[in-house]
């Protein structure tokens, strides 16, 4: 997997750059309507649930939802699409006009307004009703592209994204330097020309290439085939919980892991991803950063009901909670850790082990654990329990309880798992985990490392990591005491 470029600081900087950025969102437009209710019985007329409607909501869908997400993320959207001269078109126009961050370039010349009505009970969609007619030949005002920092084409195969529109978008992008990004449909992706980025989902990639996309290797093969069949500069495939995979022309595929989220409703998640990609690229971010931004935004929006949007504050909260969740996820009970270490070993990974109190984390600890991690593929840190620390260090220690110490140690990139032990030594834990490398500080000798002989007996090794001079928890506490005196 590709190393992350979007940490909390980079996210905040990107959101600042994206604020007020003009993005052209052009393509197929529709009205998304949701009917929410309760199901308590089956119809006597047919084996179908009876929905008692309680409330309805409506919002712009398809490219309209892309524009809503651009606006919600702090940008300004120019929305180009086609609606019909009907009541649904009036409702759609009113919803668009109600958002001050969306400028409407919507034509009312379509035969009718596309409406998708979803019937929902207990958080589950029971049925979707589509009322639509192709909008082929609908000519849009090309001034929608003027002054845009990014151009997004949302193709739902309703006819608006035709050859003329694609040509106009490419011409505008070439003139201004704005990246052109396409969310495609169909199998002929070559029709989009030399756009900067095409963003299919996994099923669309499979349909366009006739290849499977179940694994990273299969996705790489499919992206390579699709790249050869198009003139696009780059491709990114969205893979739901597996994240996204990016391929630039002439370069190897890069895989970006997804972020674990509780999925409530996937409606419109692709629109959110397109909006995030466009905003990030328009703000000057790299493709890699734009992909990570899109993964974060899409991950938040699937936790919401309906065709939803995501805000900057929600992204920052998700990024912060993601760090906390990652740290907590590393804290592992011994029974589970035994299975995890064995799984790593089956993968051919070299497992390291170290232990200690790690009461107040300081520079010496960070350097020590970084060096320990350099000697193995996965590093397990075993912490003394609070009672064990008191036995070793005396009353008043630890300063931080076990949960706090585990959370802090788990937050380090060099640490893969954190566990604890209450015995005087970690010998029993070492026997159960059977690490390949046993690491202690250079204040020990190899002969004095508890469990060292055991590790060497099964072919492992003992390594002594350097300690930074002048750094220790005891000395840190002394300095704190002196400063209060």
């Amino acid at each position: 997997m590709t190393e992350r470029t979007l940490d909390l600081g980079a996210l905040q900087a990107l959101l600042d750059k994206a604020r007020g950025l003009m993005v052209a969102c052009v393509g197929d437009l529709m009205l998304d309507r949701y009917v929410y209710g309760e199901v308590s019985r089956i119809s006597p007329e047919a084996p179908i649930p009876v929905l008692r409607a309680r409330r309805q909501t409506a919002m712009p869908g398809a490219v309209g939802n892309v524009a809503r997400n651009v606006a919600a993320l702090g940008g300004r959207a120019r929305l180009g699409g086609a609606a019909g001269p009907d009541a649904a078109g009036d409702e759609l126009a009113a919803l668009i006009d109600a958002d001050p961050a969306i400028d409407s370039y919507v034509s009312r010349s379509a035969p009718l307004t596309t409406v998708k009505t979803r019937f929902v009970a207990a958080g589950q969609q029971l049925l979707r009703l589509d009322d639509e007619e192709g909008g082929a030949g609908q000519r849009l005002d090309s001034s929608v592209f003027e002054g845009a920092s990014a151009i997004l084409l949302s193709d739902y195969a309703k006819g608006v994204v035709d050859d003329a529109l694609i040509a106009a978008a490419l011409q505008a992008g070439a003139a201004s330097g704005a990246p052109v990004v396409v969310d495609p449909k169909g199998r002929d992706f070559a029709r989009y020309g030399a756009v900067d980025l095409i963003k299919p989902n996994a099923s669309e990639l499979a349909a366009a290439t006739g290849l499977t996309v179940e694994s990273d290797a299969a996705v790489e093969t499919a992206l390579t085939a699709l790249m050869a069949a198009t003139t696009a500069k780059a491709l990114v495939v969205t893979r739901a919980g597996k994240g996204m995979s990016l391929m630039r022309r002439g370069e190897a595929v890069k895989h970006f892991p997804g972020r674990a989220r509780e999925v409530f409703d996937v409606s419109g998640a692709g629109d959110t991803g397109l909006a995030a990609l466009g905003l990030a690229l328009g703000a000057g971010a790299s493709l890699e950063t734009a992909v990570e931004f899109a993964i974060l935004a899409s991950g938040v929006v699937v936790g919401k009901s309906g065709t939803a949007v995501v805000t900057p504050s929600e992204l920052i909260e998700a990024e912060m909670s993601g760090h906390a969740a990652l740290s907590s996820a590393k804290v592992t009970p011994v029974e589970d850790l035994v299975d995890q270490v064995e799984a790593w070993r089956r993968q051919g990974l070299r497992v390291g082990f170290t232990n200690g109190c790690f009461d107040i984390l300081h520079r010496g600890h960070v350097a020590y654990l970084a060096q320990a991690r350099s000697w193995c593929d996965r590093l397990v840190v075993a912490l003394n329990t609070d009672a064990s620390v008191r036995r070793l260090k005396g009353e008043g220690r630890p300063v931080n309880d076990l949960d706090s110490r585990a959370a802090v140690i788990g937050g380090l990139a060099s640490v893969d798992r954190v566990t604890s032990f209450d015995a005087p030594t970690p010998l029993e834990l070492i026997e159960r985990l059977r690490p390949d490398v046993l690491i202690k500080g250079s204040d020990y000798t190899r002969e004095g490392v508890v469990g060292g002989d055991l590790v060497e007996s099964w072919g492992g090794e003992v390594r002594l990591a350097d300690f930074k001079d002048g750094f220790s928890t005891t000395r840190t506490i002394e300095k704190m005491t002196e400063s209060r005196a």
Side-chain angles (χ1 to χ4, degrees), residues 28 89 105 136 154-155 160 170 195 198 219 231 233 244 269 281 285 298 357 359 393 409 413 422 442 453 484:
D28 296 303
Y105 287 70
S154 181
D155 191 354
V160 171
L170 287 170
V195 296
I198 300 178
V219 166
T231 55
K233 298 173 185 175
M244 297 186 183
L281 293 174
S298 300
C357 301
D359 191 359
K393 305 292 186 179
I409 291 295
D422 190 59
S442 56
D453 53 345
R484 290 196 296 266

Side-chain angles (χ1 to χ4, degrees), residues 16 28 90 103 125 139 163 177 188 206 262 269 274 278 280 312 320 327 392 401 461 468:
D16 286 341
D28 296 303
D90 293 340
D103 299 327
Q125 288 190 30
R139 304 310 297 260
D163 292 346
D188 180 17
E262 181 180 0
L274 179 62
M320 293 176 67
S327 174
L392 288 170
D401 63 21
E461 64 173 328
K468 293 282 186 182

Side-chain angles (χ1 to χ4, degrees), residues 120-193:
V120 183
Q124 298 294 319
Q125 288 190 30
L126 303 179
L127 177 70
R128 192 181 86 183
L129 175 65
D130 290 0
D131 187 7
E132 62 184 359
E133 184 174 329
Q138 303 304 318
R139 304 310 297 260
L140 304 183
D141 184 352
S142 61
S143 64
V144 69
F145 299 123
E146 294 176 4
S149 296
I151 296 171
L152 308 181
L153 300 182
S154 181
D155 191 354
Y156 274 73
K158 307 303 179 187
V160 171
V161 184
D162 57 13
D163 292 346
L165 180 66
I166 295 167
L170 287 170
Q171 183 178 358
S176 66
V180 180
V181 184
V182 179
D183 199 341
K185 277 293 183 289
R187 296 187 177 184
D188 180 17
F189 289 3
R191 62 186 288 263
Y192 299 114

